[in-house]
Amino acid sequence: MAQSMEPQLDEIQWKAPPIAQSMGGIQTNTVLPYFYSSPFFDATSNNATITTQATHNPAQFYLIQTREAFEARLRTMQGLEFIVAHDPSENGTKPDNNGVWVIRKQNRRKRDGMEDEISAISSYYVVGENIYMAPLLSNILGARLLSTASSLNKVISTAAGLPTFSPALGHTYLPQAPKSLASATNTQMSQTSKESTPIPGTQDSSSMKTTSASKPLTNNDVQSAQLLQASLDLTLRYGHEYMDDNPLVGEPGSFLITKSRDSQQSSQQSKPKPISLNVTKPSTPQIKTDTPAQVDKSDTGIAKSPMSAIGKEKKARRKSRPATSATTPK
């Protein structure tokens, strides 16, 4: 079954200026007849029945002359009907009004000894010469929920590719470089002619500027800058300290805890030093054998040192050698 290509009634706007001018404008007695020409009207309603009967029966022609008489006739019938739920002119007593009329489509059911049971089906707005259908509450909630669900789906799919993890930085949320921009840059660089290649040993400043300007900022560049800043900050703060008192050595699965240099030094300082039992011997007093210097009172004024005098005494006291007896030959 082929689907109808006609738009939904709550998505269209209808107006007919020639019809409104032929009726003398939109007023309290012409708003319902003007509404009958719109696609929102149902020809099977009681309004269509009364209008047809009053048009061909002069005795009932007064029913379509005023809105009060027409709606009074509708209250005596049972079935589908259209009534004016809001009249901005207050039955013609207020000529200066906002021009917004509300027409309600409802179903009336008669009950014996009780008031009529009325079930509202839909509402319509007449603003000037334009007629709109009020959307249903279920349609409004469905559209809002659908918009919310689609927005959440886009947010989740976009946020799923943002988080990255590295041992140095941990979890980061940085936007990735667009693939289209990166592919376009690579294609442009690959299609560069050989004539623009600089001669070895020379530098072309214009080509260097173009290359640096066309290179996009990638996620790795941002991470490298952050890592450099974090490393510099750690160096300035803890450059003279060890980050771990007991570092781990070995491979994953077989780590060993070792003692660092600071812990070894602290353990050595905490050990008690052995008490030495060395007893120092009393030192023997030294006897001075030096004699006062003899001053020669001669005119020369040169004093003789005591060592020279002692030396002369030692030379005067030289021991004599014992005499050896002459041996006679046997």
Side-chain angles (χ1 to χ4, degrees):
M1 182 177 180
Q3 296 182 356
S4 177
M5 299 301 295
E6 295 181 359
Q8 298 293 331
L9 293 178
D10 56 353
E11 298 178 358
I12 64 174
Q13 170 192 354
W14 183 87
K15 65 178 180 179
I19 298 177
Q21 292 177 3
S22 64
M23 294 180 178
I26 306 300
Q27 54 179 334
T28 183
N29 295 325
T30 59
V31 62
L32 282 177
Y34 179 71
F35 181 79
Y36 298 160
S37 303
S38 68
F40 307 105
F41 181 69
D42 190 353
T44 61
S45 62
N46 294 335
N47 299 64
T49 303
I50 295 174
T51 302
T52 302
Q53 293 176 357
T55 303
H56 297 85
N57 188 359
Q60 298 182 356
F61 186 74
Y62 71 96
L63 296 176
I64 58 176
Q65 296 298 316
T66 60
R67 186 169 62 85
E68 292 82 357
F70 188 85
E71 290 183 350
R73 177 63 176 170
L74 283 176
R75 296 188 188 96
T76 61
M77 302 177 66
Q78 177 178 267
L80 183 65
E81 62 184 11
F82 293 88
I83 65 168
V84 177
H86 174 70
D87 185 1
S89 65
E90 298 178 1
N91 294 330
T93 59
K94 187 178 180 181
D96 297 333
N97 54 76
N98 56 5
V100 179
W101 307 76
V102 179
I103 298 176
R104 185 170 61 201
K105 180 181 180 181
Q106 60 187 17
N107 188 16
R108 184 185 298 271
R109 189 171 70 88
K110 295 291 184 177
R111 296 184 297 180
D112 296 338
M114 301 176 65
E115 294 183 355
D116 297 344
E117 181 182 357
I118 298 175
S119 301
I121 299 176
S122 59
S123 299
Y124 305 90
Y125 300 99
V126 181
V127 183
E129 297 177 353
N130 302 320
I131 301 179
Y132 308 90
M133 179 179 179
L136 299 177
L137 180 60
S138 59
N139 296 338
I140 296 175
L141 294 178
R144 294 294 185 270
L145 291 176
L146 180 60
S147 177
T148 303
S150 60
S151 300
L152 288 176
N153 189 16
K154 292 180 180 179
V155 169
I156 293 174
S157 60
T158 304
L162 292 179
T164 57
F165 176 78
S166 63
L169 301 178
H171 290 280
T172 57
Y173 299 87
L174 297 175
Q176 299 180 357
K179 296 181 179 179
S180 59
L181 181 59
S183 60
T185 305
N186 296 334
T187 305
Q188 183 179 3
M189 292 177 64
S190 61
Q191 293 179 353
T192 305
S193 60
K194 295 182 180 180
E195 297 179 357
S196 61
T197 304
I199 301 174
T202 62
Q203 294 183 355
D204 191 357
S205 59
S206 60
S207 62
M208 293 176 63
K209 292 180 180 179
T210 305
T211 305
S212 60
S214 61
K215 184 179 180 181
L217 185 61
T218 60
N219 191 9
N220 295 331
D221 297 338
V222 178
Q223 288 186 355
S224 300
Q226 291 183 354
L227 180 59
L228 177 59
Q229 182 179 0
S231 301
L232 181 59
D233 186 18
L234 292 177
T235 303
L236 295 177
R237 287 186 180 182
Y238 312 105
H240 60 284
E241 299 179 2
Y242 287 98
M243 296 300 293
D244 193 358
D245 291 339
N246 297 323
L248 299 177
V249 296
E251 299 178 353
S254 60
F255 285 117
L256 297 177
I257 300 177
T258 60
K259 292 185 177 180
S260 62
R261 184 181 303 173
D262 294 342
S263 60
Q264 291 179 0
Q265 291 179 358
S266 60
S267 61
Q268 291 178 2
Q269 292 177 1
S270 61
K271 291 182 179 180
K273 296 182 178 180
I275 301 174
S276 61
L277 300 177
N278 297 330
V279 179
T280 58
K281 295 181 180 181
S283 59
T284 56
Q286 298 180 358
I287 301 173
K288 295 182 179 181
T289 57
D290 298 337
T291 58
Q294 297 179 1
V295 181
D296 191 0
K297 296 181 180 181
S298 60
D299 296 337
T300 57
I302 301 173
K304 296 182 179 179
S305 62
M307 294 300 294
S308 61
I310 294 172
K312 290 182 178 181
E313 290 181 358
K314 287 183 179 181
K315 290 181 180 180
R317 294 179 182 180
R318 183 177 297 175
K319 295 180 180 181
S320 61
R321 295 181 181 178
T324 56
S325 60
T327 59
T328 59
K330 295 181 181 181

